[in-house]
Amino acid sequence: MEEKGKINGVAAMAACYQGFDPAAYLQYNYTPPRADFERKDSIVPWKLACLHRAFTEGDVNGELLVDIGSGPTLYQVLSGCEVFNKVLLTDFLEVNRQELRGWLQGEGGCNLDWTPYLQHVCKLEGRRPSAWPEKAAKLREVITDIVPVDVHCPQPLALDALPSAGADCLVSCFCLESVSPDLAAFTRALGHIGRLLRPGGHLLLIGALGESYYFGGPGVKIPVVPLNEAQVCASLQESGYTLIRLEVYTLPQDMRVGVDDVTGVFFVKARKE
Ligand code: SAM
């Protein structure tokens, strides 16, 4: 009975995602005011700064970085692509994998211009913003594939997607809490993705705090597990991670633009035990 409930909850989430619209999602979350590179208190520059710091502290690097639930976005691997030889992007939906393939193949027709993002991360790295084409080329060089993922499966990726040793690092942004029907499923998903990581490897996790829904497109209301910091820490511990750092961002009033009810964002750097 309990097992049936788990399957129903997960199936209901999967059904919600059938209406996900990459273009609308990018517009809602990855344009100003949420992505205003002139403002220090804008949400995207905050996320990029957290990722830049984590990937340049010296302890996070290696052969393979895997991004879990990439969606239609690339910002989360703009720093990591400099310290890993290979980057694997993953998403549950073909429409999102298609969006990422469009950028990778440079065909044009992408729903978002990533140039300001590339320029901003170049600046964080102490390079000229005009070096952005080199960063774009580097990213295209290291992305090895874009593959399906399901964090509710004990084995979230196809068996041959990773080397047997596992990944050296996982990054995952706004995925687990926005695809899980409840806190228990969120914690289980953390455990499932941990199986993709080698012991001692790092997890960089960004997610929403206090969020109960977001719009994945016009009229596509997707439920989210509302999390607080204590729950995030407890779930990490329960799933076999040691917390290194937790940072929290509180959304300024004008960043609450009606596309969700998020109140804050957490950034976690953790290590698999
Ligand atoms: N990482 C992106 C970001 O930072 O904006 C996208 C996050 S979006 C809120 C959640 C993503 O989770 C979507 O791209 C969706 O397709 C994906 N997703 C939905 N169900 C999933 C599942 N069962 N396993 C993994 N990812 C899933």
Side-chain angles (χ1 to χ4, degrees), residues 17 20 25 30 47 67-73 75-76 91-93 96 149-152 173-175 178-179 214:
Y17 273 93
F20 189 89
Y25 177 76
Y30 294 100
K47 290 191 282 183
D67 178 27
I68 302 293
S70 305
T73 71
Y75 72 91
Q76 63 277 19
D91 200 70
F92 184 70
L93 295 178
N96 286 333
V149 67
D150 186 348
V151 298
H152 299 308
C173 305
F174 301 100
C175 177
S178 41
V179 308
Y214 79 100

Side-chain angles (χ1 to χ4, degrees), residues 71-93:
T73 71
L74 288 163
Y75 72 91
Q76 63 277 19
V77 291
L78 295 184
S79 291
C81 72
E82 302 291 343
V83 288
F84 285 89
N85 296 327
K86 294 178 182 167
V87 174
L88 182 67
L89 303 180
T90 72
D91 200 70
F92 184 70
L93 295 178

Side-chain angles (χ1 to χ4, degrees), residues 40-216:
K40 272 233 154 61
D41 66 344
S42 176
I43 180 168
V44 167
W46 181 85
K47 290 191 282 183
L48 292 176
C50 289
L51 290 163
H52 167 73
R53 178 178 170 197
F55 281 116
T56 52
E57 282 175 314
D59 56 341
V60 180
N61 49 39
E63 183 64 16
L64 178 62
L65 168 66
V66 180
D67 178 27
I68 302 293
S70 305
T73 71
L74 288 163
Y75 72 91
Q76 63 277 19
V77 291
L78 295 184
S79 291
C81 72
E82 302 291 343
V83 288
F84 285 89
N85 296 327
K86 294 178 182 167
V87 174
L88 182 67
L89 303 180
T90 72
D91 200 70
F92 184 70
L93 295 178
E94 171 58 19
V95 280
N96 286 333
R97 299 193 298 269
Q98 192 55 45
E99 175 76 23
L100 296 171
R101 261 183 241 124
W103 183 85
L104 198 59
Q105 291 158 4
E107 286 166 348
C110 288
N111 283 303
L112 192 77
D113 178 9
W114 292 102
T115 308
Y117 286 72
L118 291 157
Q119 290 171 328
H120 185 77
V121 179
C122 281
K123 278 204 251 175
L124 292 176
E125 291 169 356
R127 298 152 76 181
R128 289 168 292 110
S130 59
W132 73 267
E134 290 154 37
K135 185 175 252 316
K138 173 79 180 178
L139 186 56
R140 288 192 169 102
E141 181 192 312
V142 297
I143 294 176
T144 53
D145 212 346
I146 302 164
V147 299
V149 67
D150 186 348
V151 298
H152 299 308
C153 293
Q155 182 65 50
L157 296 177
L159 274 175
D160 59 356
L162 293 189
S164 55
D168 298 294
C169 181
L170 300 180
V171 60
S172 186
C173 305
F174 301 100
C175 177
L176 304 188
E177 71 282 10
S178 41
V179 308
S180 298
D182 50 38
L183 182 60
F186 170 86
T187 307
R188 277 196 300 276
L190 258 181
H192 296 159
I193 66 168
R195 297 174 63 177
L196 305 172
L197 193 57
R198 68 163 169 79
H202 287 90
L203 170 70
L204 304 178
L205 189 69
I206 294 182
L209 291 170
E211 187 177 48
S212 70
Y213 73 88
Y214 79 100
F215 282 100

